[in-house]
Amino acid sequence: MPRIIVLLLLAIACSLSTRSQRILETVLDPANSQFQNTAFAGRVLIAGNSDSFLLNYNDLAFSRANYPVVSGVRLRFNTHNNPLTVFQSAVFFTLTRTSGSTTNRYLYRYTGGTSFSRITISGNIISNTIVYGSYLYFLCDVSGTVRLYRYSSGVVSEVTGAAIPNSNGHKLHVAGSYMYITGYAYYTGTVNFIRRYSGTGFFTLPWTESGTNADGVFAVPGTTRVYFTSHERILYYNGSSVSQVFFNAGESVYPRMWGSNLYFTTGVGASPSRVSRLYRLSGATLTLLSLPTGYSVAPMGSTNPEIYSGALYIGAVHTDGSKRVLRYNGTTYTPFFDITDASLNTGVHLFLREGNLIIHPNYVNGYHAYEYNGTEFTEIIAPAGRYLFPYINSTACNHLWLNYYSDAAGIHFAYARESKGCTTTPPGPMPVIPDHFKDYERFEMTTYGPERGWCWSEIIIDWDIEPVCQLPPCPDPGYQARMMDANNSVVWSAQVFQPGSFPVQLTDQQPFKTVLFSPDAQRDVLVFEPDLLPMGIEIITVKFQPKQNFFQLTASTRNNASVPLKATLLNANGKVLWEQPLPPPCRNK
């Protein structure tokens, strides 16, 4: 939070590759560990579960955009089935009055800055939003009837003929040329179903049994065949009928499509005899894929297959204790990368990032990962004393990760950045509004001291704040204005519960630091350093208008003297985020 001061081929090619390192830097602590995110307009947007604000990261710092207030209540974000969907130069998502509530779910559009636009819809959204063709689609419950809607260029319209059954956990998926609508029976009166939409018409797949709570849909290229994956089972539609082609009670499956086949990992058995397996589905034909002699698939929990550069990669352990990522070309296995971790308790998570392969050993409890760009490996290291989990998203010059650590108080999460080694100008104007003032329409503080050498004569504080309580009038915030001596002791203070003017009753004996302290947050929110008056400053005003991303700093000097002055914005770790010299006559916006 900123404050203003002023088959195994015996090859070991990977060990010959260059390895460099990147050590992550924490940029926000604490952080919400449950979130949805997207890259948008050069920034990373992060919406935390139950948070009342949207985080923006622009390569330099985080800023907050508070969600709107409806009927006196600040709206919140619920991560369940609620992605941040980029469409037509905006981001769409659902906000609710109460986190987890299925009522009063509103669709909002966000284009940047601090404002949100509400999209007028019928009923409440009960599905994710998804882009299919040239529209944004979503489902709404309208007086007990589930209806399909689509949006484009400010217009919302119902898609007729959808005939969505009463079900639970409705989801929209896009795979191949179609959009699929799924739901599952959870209580009396609900059914399992899968509907397919071509953009012009609907078709119901012939399946009403379990497995319709799909979290992944994989189309066989060039056909109408498709796989539906969910926790513990896989369904397959061959173009005319649906069948269950895999079931593993209580176990997750981690699938990837490669060509016309579906590859996946899953765990079998209980400890200490539990094993991990790699399977292939070719249509309805299931094949257990054996690794080379001595190798087994790395422990489940996080081990998955990944497809990169025309091959399949999988984490594996050997009976001799070594641990590797193997590369499979469809016929033979080749050692690709040696993992140096002493153990792989949670396996090896693989994923793609900006065209490169990321290897993350001990996903959840690991302290490092590796990036392979086709030529060399780079080690990615968590901040000291922390674990790396998981990767979030990327800007032009940084990758963002979640990391966590524990102490006597419990487990704590933070966001950290992995530098790409470049610099960039942040896209658009950079908000410099401290988080503490995000709820305000306007906040101003003036320190006033004409003809004084060491101490301000008066402090003037004024604000307008948007009501966020249930029944206005809302209570005003409370502050304490303080003057601190050279020993950092409070020598004067005034309680501030209403805007007003506060005379400072101190003599000119020494320079004093001026602080606006928040008892609620237990922190200093504005600090004016002690050398301002002695250097010739007589009036200095800080003004925020958060909704307009407006920050103004105005300073006047005694007798129009030329006084060098520079405004600096620091983060919580003291790192400079922004600086601006104020040219004579010391006035800057």
Side-chain angles (χ1 to χ4, degrees), residues 444-508:
E444 295 182 29
M445 179 173 174
T446 297
T447 49
Y448 180 83
E451 309 304 325
R452 295 293 297 270
W454 302 107
C455 183
W456 304 111
S457 305
E458 187 178 23
I459 296 175
I460 304 169
I461 300 175
D462 193 15
W463 66 72
D464 296 311
I465 188 167
E466 178 183 331
V468 294
C469 58
Q470 292 277 3
L471 295 174
C474 300
D476 283 306
Y479 294 102
Q480 187 180 68
R482 296 174 170 178
M483 303 294 289
M484 320 287 287
D485 64 14
N487 296 318
N488 214 31
S489 298
V490 178
V491 295
W492 172 89
S493 67
Q495 300 296 324
V496 184
F497 294 102
Q498 297 284 346
S501 174
F502 305 90
V504 180
Q505 314 218 341
L506 289 175
T507 58
D508 279 336

